Amino acid sequence: MEQIALTINDRQLSASSGMTILEVAKENSIDIPALCYRQELSPIGACRICVVEVERSETLVGSCHTPIAQGMVIHTHSKKVLQVRKTMVELLLASHCGNCFMCDKANICELRSIATDLEVGLPRFQVKKRYYPVEDASPFIVRDLTKCILCRRCVSACNEIKKEKVFGIAYRGFDSKVVVDFDQPIDKDVCRDCDVCISFCPTGALSKHGEIGEEKKGEPLIISG
Amino acid sequence: MAQQRIVLRNCGVIDPMQISTYLDRDGFKALKKALAGVTQEQIIDEIKLSGLRGRGGAGFPCGLKWELAGKAQVDEKYVICNADEGEIGTFKDRYILERDPFTLIEAMAIAGYAIGAKRGYIYLRAEYHCLLDLLKNAIGQAKEGGFLDQFDIDIREGAGAYICGEESALMDSIEGKRGEVRYRPPFPPSRGLWGKPTIINNVETLMNIPQIIFNGGHWFSQLGTEQSKGTKVFSVSGDVKKPGVYELVLGSRLRELVEGLALAEKVKMVQVGGATGRIIPYEMIDMPLAFESILGAGAIIVFNETRDIIDIVYRVMEFLAEECCGKCTPCREGTEVMVEILERFSRGGGLETDISLLEEVASAMMLSSLCGLGQAAPIPVVNSLQYFRSVYENRIRQN
Ligand SMILES: Cc1cc2nc3c(=O)[nH]c(=O)nc-3n(C[C@H](O)[C@H](O)[C@H](O)COP(=O)(O)O)c2cc1C
Ligand code: SF4
Ligand code: SF4
Ligand code: FES
């Protein structure tokens, strides 16, 4: 395999041709955040959180899908890059429902964790929030697309790992949506005992039905003045 | 500089339904010349020598694109003519297709021979359905005349999405998928339609090819400026007395086109290049029309003193938000944020902080969007803040 010489953050590195910038960075313990990319799936290129600066390129490039090239000079954490990543997360949060305090996945949500890393607080942009009714017709999966950030990992996971092609994208622009068939609430038999998409969803948009206990869990905490 | 007809040389002269009228004007002689003893490399060298650059907006060197595809050692390759013409204010490709489909067919056949492709597609804008019969008739007549023995041309109609004019979304659309942008690399000349090497060129770019082969690349390179060779066809609309299609040698002044030919008066600003094109104030009207200064796909929209800059920018942004494919975060969310802010300004509102938010989102979109739509969508906004900032500031003050 041909070896490629490149520079990342002033470090001279060598890697095999065909690798992406993100893969090389990871191999060298350089941490680039990624939201739509997952090692098990082919790159999607949608979220743009993983962008890096490549010298002589006018725009930033997506590190998860851009192959390395001989002599590339890359900056993964320049001021320009960090500013764009922050804006990206802030944009995602601006239209997000923001009900983190009652989200089951709050503690494992990748959007929140990246927002924390990049020190993004309350979004300053005023924009309409996405709202969709919760889809809970299926006994195997609950979809709450109000929380969806359109990373498309569920689509790829279903296509590539399960090869079921349950999901597709419909509508355009801000109204884009991950849909099943002609935008029906999900209720597919193939989803029985699968969970693949659920495990790939970075947010609380996909989950299993919660187990509701029969016992009383305790008194609600009442704060008296 | 002046008007010169290279691309439009047959428009209005030949009968688009009769190939014989085209043959009388040296039709298919360039193709014959190419097929008779000229090698594929020689054709590509001639195109490179001509300095022809893409007329679809980006201005990529045509010869270089062909060379990349030509070099690929694969049996199956494709030529695509981009006739999606979705840009606001462009109607030049339609004008050309309506009047001279034969030159386009000849050009595609030459392209096919040059890169080693046996099949080509014309991707026709959905709204141009009315041209389908005319194009089919022209292809049929060219086949009967034996001009398409080694190259087949098919027409694919779009479904009404602006984004399908973008090359990668266009290819997805031809493949029968949802028209959505692919990340690059790989670029189409290495992996394009159905994963095969593909060249994709705008109608007008291709229209130049037969003339270049016929007269030589050197002849073509004599016209225009240092980095912009040949002519450009412009679609002029808006507050002008004579809207229409004009072909000018590259490097001509914007004033010559807007005031000289289209007879505009009391011009306040001009948008050059369509929805994502730059908006420049009247003071800059002496700019040369060329890739090194200002050009785009050749849409020239003129606004007179009665027009409000914020209104214009707001409506353009609404269009772009509507046409965004929705794949990448900056464009999908950013256009929506901009629409909301601009809508507030257009209603007479707007806050001090809105201007810096617009600038921040604009910069992120331009730097990180996946395709040209998101990367260029903020340009009108940025220009309006550059040249007409006081209009925004007045609104904020009055608010
Ligand atoms: C949003 C978007 C829309 C586009 N629409 C068109 C179009 O309608 N017609 C066109 O020729 N090129 C269009 N382009 C440019 C194409 O992607 C591509 O660059 C062009 O067809 C290449 O041909 P050329 O090199 O001959 O210009 C568009 C690009 C973008 C980003
Ligand atoms: S449902 Fe989850 S995995 Fe699917 S696109 Fe939305 S956020 Fe991504
Ligand atoms: S920039 Fe806009 S149109 Fe282009 S890929 Fe991103 S969302 Fe789609
Ligand atoms: S992780 Fe690279 S674009 Fe989403």
Side-chain angles (χ1 to χ4, degrees), chain B residues 356-390:
Chain B
S356 57
L357 288 183
L358 277 177
E359 282 170 334
E360 189 181 316
V361 175
S363 152
M365 285 171 71
M366 288 161 116
L367 284 169
S368 67
S369 293
L370 194 55
C371 86
L373 194 155
Q375 286 163 13
I379 289 176
V381 176
V382 170
N383 283 164
S384 68
L385 285 167
Q386 202 173 347
Y387 303 124
F388 301 96
R389 203 181 186 91
S390 58

Side-chain angles (χ1 to χ4, degrees), chain B residues 26-37:
Chain B
D26 296 330
F28 289 106
K29 283 205 181 144
L31 178 63
K32 264 192 209 141
K33 182 177 167 186
L35 294 178

Side-chain angles (χ1 to χ4, degrees), chain B residues 96-334:
Chain B
I96 294 167
L97 294 169
E98 268 174 350
R99 288 164 178 79
D100 183 13
F102 299 111
T103 301
L104 183 68
I105 292 167
E106 181 173 2
M108 289 181 72
I110 295 172
Y113 171 67
I115 69 158
K118 293 187 184 59
R119 178 175 274 281
Y121 291 94
I122 298 175
Y123 189 83
L124 189 67
R125 175 185 173 139
E127 291 82 349
Y128 290 177
H129 181 72
C130 53
L131 298 179
L132 192 62
D133 287 344
L134 183 146
L135 286 172
K136 278 187 177 161
N137 172 64
I139 294 169
Q141 289 191 4
K143 263 189 199 152
E144 272 170 37
F147 300 112
L148 291 177
D149 288 347
Q150 290 157 41
F151 188 75
D152 211 9
I153 301 179
D154 245 337
I155 303 171
R156 286 285 179 279
E157 284 189 273
Y162 172 67
I163 194 60
C164 288
E166 195 282 335
E167 55 186 23
S168 63
L170 188 156
M171 293 186 303
D172 268 10
S173 170
I174 293 183
E175 289 177 14
K177 300 184 196 141
R178 171 184 162 90
E180 244 183 24
V181 173
R182 309 176 183 173
Y183 55 76
R184 276 146 293 175
F187 291 95
S190 50
R191 278 179 60 195
L193 188 63
W194 318 110
K196 305 290 181 201
T198 303
I199 54 167
I200 169 160
N201 277 122
N202 173 254
V203 173
E204 186 190 342
T205 315
L206 290 166
M207 291 297 287
N208 285 290
I209 302 292
Q211 287 292 301
I212 292 173
I213 298 304
F214 199 65
N215 299 316
H218 180 70
W219 159 79
F220 192 84
S221 70
Q222 301 296 98
L223 294 162
T225 70
E226 180 75 35
Q227 289 168 48
S228 314
K229 303 300 185 191
T231 61
K232 178 83 190 81
V233 181
F234 296 96
S235 323
V236 186
S237 63
D239 298 319
V240 295
K241 285 215 187 84
K242 282 180 70 184
V245 173
Y246 299 92
E247 180 171 3
L248 268 73
V249 176
L250 280 162
S252 303
R253 310 260 154 201
L254 181 57
R255 183 194 293 278
E256 192 182 335
L257 181 60
V258 169
E259 292 185 334
L261 294 168
L263 306 179
E265 281 168 10
K266 301 204 171 135
V267 177
K268 182 172 172 187
M269 54 219 157
V270 183
Q271 186 169 28
V272 181
T276 54
R278 283 169 62 190
I279 297 185
I280 58 165
Y282 182 67
E283 295 72 57
M284 292 168 73
I285 200 155
D286 280 314
M287 276 179 108
L289 290 158
F291 289 109
E292 46 276 51
S293 47
I294 192 165
L295 195 63
I300 308 281
I301 308 177
V302 181
F303 300 98
N304 68 18
E305 285 166 358
T306 64
R307 310 289 170 178
D308 173 35
I309 179 75
I310 292 180
D311 245 21
I312 295 167
V313 172
Y314 165 49
R315 288 214 217 146
V316 166
M317 192 53 72
E318 265 194 326
F319 168 81
L320 293 167
E322 164 90 28
E323 296 297 334
C324 152
C325 82
K327 182 161 179 177
C328 74
T329 312
C331 173
R332 184 186 65 232
E333 310 291 324

Side-chain angles (χ1 to χ4, degrees), chain A residues 121-148:
Chain A
L122 279 177
R124 294 158 298 159
F125 309 119
Q126 285 179 27
V127 70
K128 63 184 174 215
K129 305 263 180 205
R130 288 195 177 77
Y131 171 76
Y132 303 101
V134 176
E135 295 173 20
D136 56 3
S138 160
F140 315 110
I141 173 170
V142 183
R143 285 214 314 164
D144 182 359
L145 290 185
T146 299
K147 294 175 183 165
C148 171

